Amino acid sequence: MQDETKNHGLSDYVDIRYLDPATARFSETPGGFVRLTIGEGETYPRVALYRAFPFSYPDQYISVRDMDGNEIGMIKDLRAFDEATVRLLERELERRYFTPVIRRIESVKEEFGYWYWTVETDAGPRRFTVREVQHNVVRLSPEHVLIIDLDGNRYEIPDTGQLDPRSRRYLEDLF
Amino acid sequence: MNLAARKAQDRIVEPELVRLETDLSRDGRYAGGAVVVTASSVRVLEQGRVVEEIPLAAVEKFEAREMVGGGVLEARVEGEDRLLARFTASHLPRYTAAASYLNKRLQGEEAVLDLPERAVCPTCGRPFPDPASRVCPHCLNKLRVLARMFGFIKPHLWLLVGSVALLLALAGVRLFVPQITRLMIEEVFESGTGDMRALARYVALLGGTQLLLQLLFVARGRVSVTLSGRLAKDLRGMVYQKLQAFSLLEFGQRKTGDLMNRVTGDTNRVQHFFQHHVAMAVTEGLTFLGITVILFAYNWRLAALVLVPAPIVTVLVGAVRRKIWSMYSAQWHTEDRVYSLLQDVLSGIRVVKAFGQEEREARRFIDISWEYARITSRNEKTFNTLFPFMGYLLGLGNFLVLYYGGHLVLGERMGFGELIQFSQYASMLYGPLRFISFFPRWFTEAMTAAERIFEVLDVEPAVKDRPKARRHTIKGEVVIENVTFGYKPHEPVLKGINLTVRPGETIGLVGHSGAGKSSLINLIARFYDPQEGRILIDGVDLRDIAQESFRSQIGVVLQETFLFSGTIYENIAYSKPDATPEEVIRAAKIANAHDFIIRFNDGYDTLVGERGQRLSGGERQRIAIARAILHDPKILILDEATASMDTETEYQIQQALARLIKNRTTFAIAHRLSTLRNADRLVVLDQGRIAEMGTHDELLAKQGIYYRLVMAQREMNQLAGVER
């Protein structure tokens, strides 16, 4: 008897509550954030989204939390929701994980142990400085590169194969 | 400027309270913009256009939320959060500070805006490479730094003079050698009167000159080593001394690693530069100049010919060296990875074995060492190809000399001896070129390191003695008057603290973590100075007591007991190095440490610390208590360990502590209720303010914060089954 109650308690902790696209309704708040209503009556005036696997599964396993950081549930796959919801959630995710994709590397110049980059990203042109390239230019996979600059800004190259030869050469010189 | 923008401009006539630049638009594109707060409104501008405007009176709260790689500024208006602006991570510290400032103003509190500066060089706009330092390698006035550096060389002036003399001699002798060769050829072979004796004389002269040259090289090396060694020693000593004068505030703002780097790394860099590069630069430079002058004096046409390939060669050599450098840095990185993998696996070998992953780890290691081998062999091949060609390039000028010079000799417009001399000079000329292409980089690196050292030397410690500070023999009364303090000026962790402590009284400090207990203790020990209010010792302001005199009369037993590398004896006698063995034993006995120390094979001579005997937490703590007892402080600060100990050890420590605090004004951060019960008074801190004060029993009866803490702890103990 006691064992049973214990098991019940444990499963409460480890079970993942997936948000069902049929009952979970995300909507936009007047201030431009995200509101969540589950079924009838369970309403969260504002929620925050966290990716569990920002690099491996960016669109899956998204933790939905209230503003105190308590998990309400997880989105198993963003694509299961309707288009308008996906757009809303993607905008919120883009705000939390601002990581422009580098389209072209104009130049990488090394001076006194610091690397000055000039790049073209999908958010516009950008210059930034990286130090300790061996730690801050990270190969997430052989083709997927993440760059973290001096201030903690992030830049991503999802597939180095898509870059033009000149940009690729700049990267190769670093590795 | 379009109409909307002009309109926006016209309306901003009110003084701005806060102006925050941003580099990110609200839809996530890089674009210039700003958040402007005036006394009446909040405006968000994007590329000069107002995209949002809210009356300031409508805002309930601002919030700068940190995100990954950036953040957002929000405002709560009528209970609803509104997105004001976005910014990249580069602007986060400024937004956080501004939001906290604005919130204080909204609540009608006094607040000072203190926007952290962006770590960019004000001259060139480049970010400072090292955020902890304000040195921009670009805009650094290297000559000024060098001049200051020479100030440090002054005490070793005779070494410098000797070194310069040696360098001049070296360059002179080197330039003399081809001269001898020419004279030998002319006198011995071409004059027709030459004989064996003349030949022998010249060969001996050449041999002697070469020997002299080598001796001068040796002397040059020795003098530079001595000079740079002394310079580095001086610098290191000064930086270290300065660090000791720092208050904990300066330490808090910098990383320990960064400070260590300045004591060792930067001084090493300066030393290396003076040892290897300066002497070489002077010798090579003088040689280069000398040769050029001589060559032009002899035959300007030929000289010009020698110099024609020089610029090309310099550029090519520079390119080759850069290539080699980047090749090898890739190799070092891989080497790093090999080592860290090896270290990982070896230190985690238990886990590897427990999960049976030996094979996978072996494969991982083989993979990466294969990559390392591949890079190494590729680099060596490239190097072995490039290097001989580089030598060839450096000799190019010689071929031109031989051709044109030979032509002159054939036409009897030049002697054969002269040609040989010329050719020797020409090959000597290209040696310095190798060096010159890399000198600017070395120079900048060394001067940057030097400036970083000066930066530390120039810091004014925040906690310093007032001019009229004097010695004071402490009786033990402590009065804390209206003290406010924060590690950052705009975030106070202690607010308006008032407390009067009688001599010999024991005060227990209680509160949740982050309530301000440690901060209060830091102020009493004068590791920091309060921003407002003052602390009086026997009626004297703490800042009017000489630090050295004050510290010699307070004792600190910290949670993390730190034992220096050395013997137990040395550790106990740390505060009183001239203590007799008898005094040390007596202190250890009072601290209940004597018995366990005697049981060690080496007794009081047992080595502890980094490489010494491992001591248990209880043992370390008792040694620290013995240290404090020997020190015999008037004011005692205890930060009691949280680690749980067996009842016997606990009893021993409690007993030792009870002996220690007798007749001393004591401030104790206590985690265990058993200690608290013995305090004369308990002070309960909550969010930086004194919430409750009284004896254990009084506070329990009050059923306030203290009561709840006690109950929570009892519950915990019951849960853990260690009810005391």
Side-chain angles (χ1 to χ4, degrees):
Chain A
M1 187 64 197
Q2 213 185 359
D3 271 343
E4 247 171 40
T5 47
K6 241 186 200 165
N7 281 341
H8 183 73
L10 186 65
S11 72
D12 270 356
Y13 283 110
V14 298
D15 275 358
I16 302 173
R17 180 190 186 193
Y18 285 116
L19 298 178
D20 182 358
T23 55
R25 281 194 317 283
F26 292 96
S27 54
E28 190 178 346
T29 70
F33 296 107
V34 179
R35 183 201 312 278
L36 169 65
T37 311
I38 305 174
E40 295 304 316
E42 192 181 346
T43 303
Y44 301 91
R46 186 178 163 193
V47 296
L49 306 178
Y50 295 79
R51 285 182 170 130
F53 305 96
F55 304 122
S56 336
Y57 304 105
D59 291 340
Q60 293 166 55
Y61 304 102
I62 293 164
S63 173
V64 181
R65 294 178 174 249
D66 66 21
M67 294 317 280
D68 294 327
N70 304 309
E71 186 167 275
I72 301 160
M74 283 193 111
I75 294 172
K76 191 167 188 177
D77 191 348
L78 196 60
R79 304 287 149 201
F81 286 85
D82 63 83
E83 212 174 296
T85 306
V86 170
R87 261 204 308 280
L88 177 69
L89 298 185
E90 270 181 343
R91 189 181 73 180
E92 184 69 17
L93 283 170
E94 189 271 334
R95 275 182 201 156
R96 167 159 291 281
Y97 301 92
F98 181 63
T99 312
V101 170
I102 293 178
R103 293 269 159 81
R104 191 171 64 243
I105 301 175
E106 307 285 0
S107 81
V108 180
K109 235 173 58 197
E110 190 265 355
E111 266 177 355
F112 320 119
Y114 300 92
W115 277 257
Y116 296 89
W117 297 59
T118 309
V119 298
E120 188 63 47
T121 73
D122 58 356
R126 178 84 170 168
R127 302 162 82 100
F128 57 90
T129 311
V130 177
R131 60 171 169 166
E132 294 177 1
V133 276
Q134 62 271 41
H135 292 130
N136 290 317
V137 179
V138 190
R139 256 188 188 170
L140 300 170
S141 76
E143 298 304 322
H144 191 172
V145 177
L146 177 74
I147 301 159
I148 303 164
D149 78 4
L150 213 55
D151 294 316
N153 293 306
R154 291 159 166 242
Y155 311 88
E156 203 181 358
I157 304 172
D159 182 2
T160 51
Q162 298 287 306
L163 290 174
D164 58 294
R166 210 166 77 101
S167 304
R168 264 213 306 277
R169 226 179 11 257
Y170 278 124
L171 275 183
E172 273 161 21
D173 278 352
L174 287 175
F175 290 114
Chain B
M1 200 186 287
N2 63 37
L3 199 68
R6 182 163 309 163
K7 226 171 126 195
Q9 204 93 70
D10 287 347
R11 279 190 302 177
I12 304 173
V13 282
E14 261 183 306
E16 293 172 1
L17 286 176
V18 180
R19 185 185 186 92
L20 291 161
E21 305 293 335
T22 180
D23 50 359
L24 194 59
S25 69
R26 301 206 288 190
D27 60 359
R29 296 194 57 82
Y30 291 125
V35 179
V36 179
V37 183
T38 64
S40 69
S41 77
V42 185
R43 272 192 217 99
V44 183
L45 295 102
E46 268 178 20
Q47 290 178 312
R49 220 172 313 215
V50 178
V51 290
E52 178 100 47
E53 180 162 5
I54 305 172
L56 188 61
V59 178
E60 291 150 40
K61 194 182 165 213
F62 287 96
E63 179 139 27
R65 224 179 268 278
E66 181 178 2
M67 306 255 168
V68 182
V72 297
L73 181 70
E74 305 169 6
R76 184 163 299 160
V77 181
E78 289 162 13
E80 193 70 54
D81 290 341
R82 273 163 84 164
L83 176 78
L84 287 183
R86 294 179 63 184
F87 46 87
T88 68
S90 318
H91 292 273
L92 181 68
R94 296 163 52 79
Y95 275 82
T96 316
S100 119
Y101 161 77
L102 287 171
N103 284 335
K104 270 186 207 146
R105 274 191 66 108
L106 290 181
Q107 283 167 15
E109 277 179 49
E110 281 280 317
V112 186
L113 180 62
D114 178 23
L115 287 184
E117 261 176 68
R118 274 213 68 195
V120 292
C121 170
T123 317
C124 68
R126 283 186 179 79
F128 289 118
D130 177 359
S133 154
R134 287 282 170 279
V135 180
C136 173
H138 238 270
C139 307
L140 184 66
N141 185 343
K142 286 142 205 150
L143 291 178
R144 195 184 53 78
V145 179
L146 190 66
R148 194 166 167 194
M149 207 74 226
F150 273 110
F152 287 85
I153 297 178
K154 249 190 201 148
H156 315 293
L157 202 61
W158 58 274
L159 270 174
L160 185 69
V161 170
S163 159
V164 169
L166 274 172
L167 296 177
L168 283 172
L170 245 177
V173 173
R174 270 171 113 184
L175 290 179
F176 191 52
V177 174
Q179 201 81 15
I180 300 173
T181 319
R182 181 182 61 108
L183 286 174
M184 180 173 83
I185 290 171
E186 281 175 3
E187 266 187 43
V188 179
F189 302 111
E190 287 187 331
S191 65
T193 58
D195 55 15
M196 278 306 288
R197 278 179 56 197
L199 180 64
R201 211 170 52 235
Y202 272 108
V203 172
L205 186 58
L206 272 177
T209 318
Q210 282 297 342
L211 184 65
L212 181 63
L213 204 57
Q214 296 314 316
L215 286 176
L216 284 173
F217 269 119
V218 171
R220 177 187 81 171
R222 291 183 163 228
V223 172
S224 338
V225 168
T226 315
L227 180 61
S228 61
R230 293 200 184 162
L231 182 63
K233 184 210 77 188
D234 288 356
L235 285 175
R236 216 172 284 149
M238 266 191 282
V239 176
Y240 187 72
Q241 221 163 19
K242 187 75 186 193
L243 290 187
Q244 299 283 327
F246 273 14
S247 76
L248 286 181
L249 194 63
E250 278 98 21
F251 275 107
Q253 284 167 353
R254 294 175 172 81
K255 288 190 199 130
T256 323
D258 173 61
L259 290 173
M260 280 175 52
N261 191 10
R262 294 197 197 195
V263 179
T264 59
D266 285 333
T267 48
N268 277 348
R269 240 159 272 156
V270 172
Q271 177 177 10
H272 185 86
F273 178 73
F274 276 89
Q275 187 169 324
H276 297 288
H277 300 150
V278 169
M280 208 146 128
V282 175
T283 326
E284 301 287 310
L286 283 176
T287 311
F288 188 84
L289 263 177
I291 292 173
T292 317
V293 169
I294 292 174
L295 288 185
F296 274 96
Y298 262 99
N299 185 332
W300 67 270
R301 264 180 247 256
L302 207 50
L305 212 54
V306 174
L307 284 177
V308 163
I312 310 163
V313 169
T314 313
V315 169
L316 279 176
V317 168
V320 168
R321 290 196 93 153
R322 260 192 296 281
K323 169 79 183 160
I324 289 176
W325 189 78
S326 89
M327 256 165 49
Y328 279 97
S329 66
Q331 183 173 328
W332 293 324
H333 295 164
T334 324
E335 199 175 331
D336 261 5
R337 276 165 63 208
V338 173
Y339 282 124
S340 58
L341 184 69
L342 200 59
Q343 201 198 346
D344 249 23
V345 172
L346 289 184
S347 46
I349 193 72
R350 281 157 161 275
V351 181
V352 174
K353 284 202 169 294
F355 288 101
Q357 296 293 321
E358 294 95 329
E359 204 160 307
R360 190 175 74 166
E361 289 301 339
R363 225 178 309 126
R364 251 184 5 140
F365 187 74
I366 290 168
D367 281 352
I368 190 164
S369 35
W370 175 236
E371 191 185 332
Y372 180 55
R374 198 177 51 79
I375 292 178
T376 315
S377 86
R378 188 197 65 190
N379 283 355
E380 290 305 318
K381 278 179 202 157
T382 317
F383 184 78
N384 283 317
T385 316
L386 286 177
F387 203 70
F389 274 105
M390 208 162 91
Y392 180 77
L393 280 177
L394 292 172
L396 267 184
N398 238 329
F399 298 123
L400 293 174
V401 171
L402 277 180
Y403 183 76
Y404 184 65
H407 177 71
L408 290 180
V409 172
L410 285 178
E412 295 200 353
R413 273 176 294 163
M414 188 187 202
F416 181 63
E418 278 175 311
L419 176 62
I420 296 294
Q421 182 192 17
F422 233 99
S423 148
Q424 276 191 4
Y425 278 134
S427 47
M428 275 167 71
L429 189 65
Y430 282 80
L433 285 185
R434 269 187 225 231
F435 179 83
I436 285 166
S437 62
F438 260 61
F439 188 75
R441 185 192 183 96
W442 290 331
F443 183 59
T444 307
E445 272 173 8
M447 288 308 111
T448 308
E451 181 63 18
R452 282 159 51 86
I453 295 171
F454 293 148
E455 213 182 21
V456 173
L457 294 180
D458 293 344
V459 171
E460 282 285 317
V463 172
K464 56 180 178 212
D465 285 340
R466 284 188 182 168
K468 55 175 180 174
R470 54 185 171 81
R471 307 187 63 79
H472 172 77
T473 309
I474 297 176
K475 289 178 209 66
E477 190 205 40
V478 178
V479 177
I480 299 170
E481 242 181 42
N482 220 352
V483 160
T484 295
F485 169 72
Y487 298 96
K488 290 179 197 152
H490 49 88
E491 287 169 27
V493 287
L494 291 173
K495 298 159 202 159
I497 302 281
N498 281 297
L499 183 66
T500 303
V501 183
R502 297 184 306 276
E505 202 181 3
T506 298
I507 299 291
L509 295 171
V510 196
H512 295 284
S513 63
K517 295 171 303 213
S518 301
S519 305
L520 189 56
I521 272 183
N522 281 339
L523 291 183
I524 296 167
R526 213 186 163 205
F527 292 145
Y528 302 89
D529 278 337
Q531 271 109 21
E532 285 168 39
R534 54 183 189 159
I535 295 175
L536 302 167
I537 307 286
D538 308 328
V540 183
D541 192 318
L542 194 45
R543 284 168 288 201
D544 289 330
I545 302 175
Q547 282 185 65
E548 182 262 323
S549 152
F550 175 68
R551 293 266 158 70
S552 69
Q553 299 177 73
I554 62 164
V556 182
V557 179
L558 295 175
Q559 204 177 91
E560 283 292 319
T561 308
F562 188 78
L563 298 184
F564 294 95
S565 299
T567 64
I568 291 180
Y569 177 89
E570 286 163 350
N571 265 289
I572 295 178
Y574 184 74
S575 57
K576 194 181 176 192
D578 57 348
T580 62
E582 208 186 313
E583 284 177 296
V584 170
I585 291 175
R586 198 174 300 138
K589 280 198 147 196
I590 299 173
N592 277 337
H594 180 68
D595 291 334
F596 81 78
I597 296 171
I598 288 295
R599 276 198 291 275
F600 291 141
N601 287 343
D602 300 336
Y604 282 86
D605 289 329
T606 304
L607 282 171
V608 293
E610 282 284 286
R611 280 163 304 177
Q613 171 104 16
R614 285 187 178 274
L615 300 182
S616 75
E619 288 164 348
R620 299 162 75 91
Q621 209 175 7
R622 278 177 280 169
I623 289 179
I625 294 172
R627 188 194 279 165
I629 288 170
L630 188 65
H631 185 38
D632 193 21
K634 299 294 189 321
I635 296 173
L636 183 67
I637 287 166
L638 295 178
D639 194 347
E640 197 192 303
T642 37
S644 56
M645 289 169 198
D646 59 88
T647 323
E648 172 62 20
T649 314
E650 165 102 33
Y651 172 73
Q652 297 246 338
I653 289 175
Q654 288 306 330
Q655 200 179 34
L657 280 176
R659 290 174 190 153
L660 174 61
I661 63 180
K662 208 168 170 193
N663 296 327
R664 301 178 212 278
T665 309
T666 304
F667 294 87
I669 296 184
H671 303 277
R672 272 172 300 205
L673 298 173
S674 45
T675 324
L676 297 180
R677 230 167 265 156
N678 299 329
D680 296 314
R681 255 191 309 166
L682 297 175
V683 171
V684 183
L685 288 173
D686 188 42
Q687 292 182 9
R689 294 178 202 276
I690 294 181
E692 294 170 11
M693 192 154 38
T695 64
H696 174 73
D697 295 331
E698 284 167 12
L699 290 182
L700 273 189
K702 202 173 174 183
Q703 301 221 338
I705 297 176
Y706 181 69
Y707 175 81
R708 287 199 295 278
L709 278 169
V710 170
M711 288 305 140
Q713 193 167 4
R714 280 207 185 135
E715 217 169 280
M716 284 270 285
N717 287 348
Q718 271 161 10
L719 267 176
V722 286
E723 243 251 272
R724 297 206 172 103

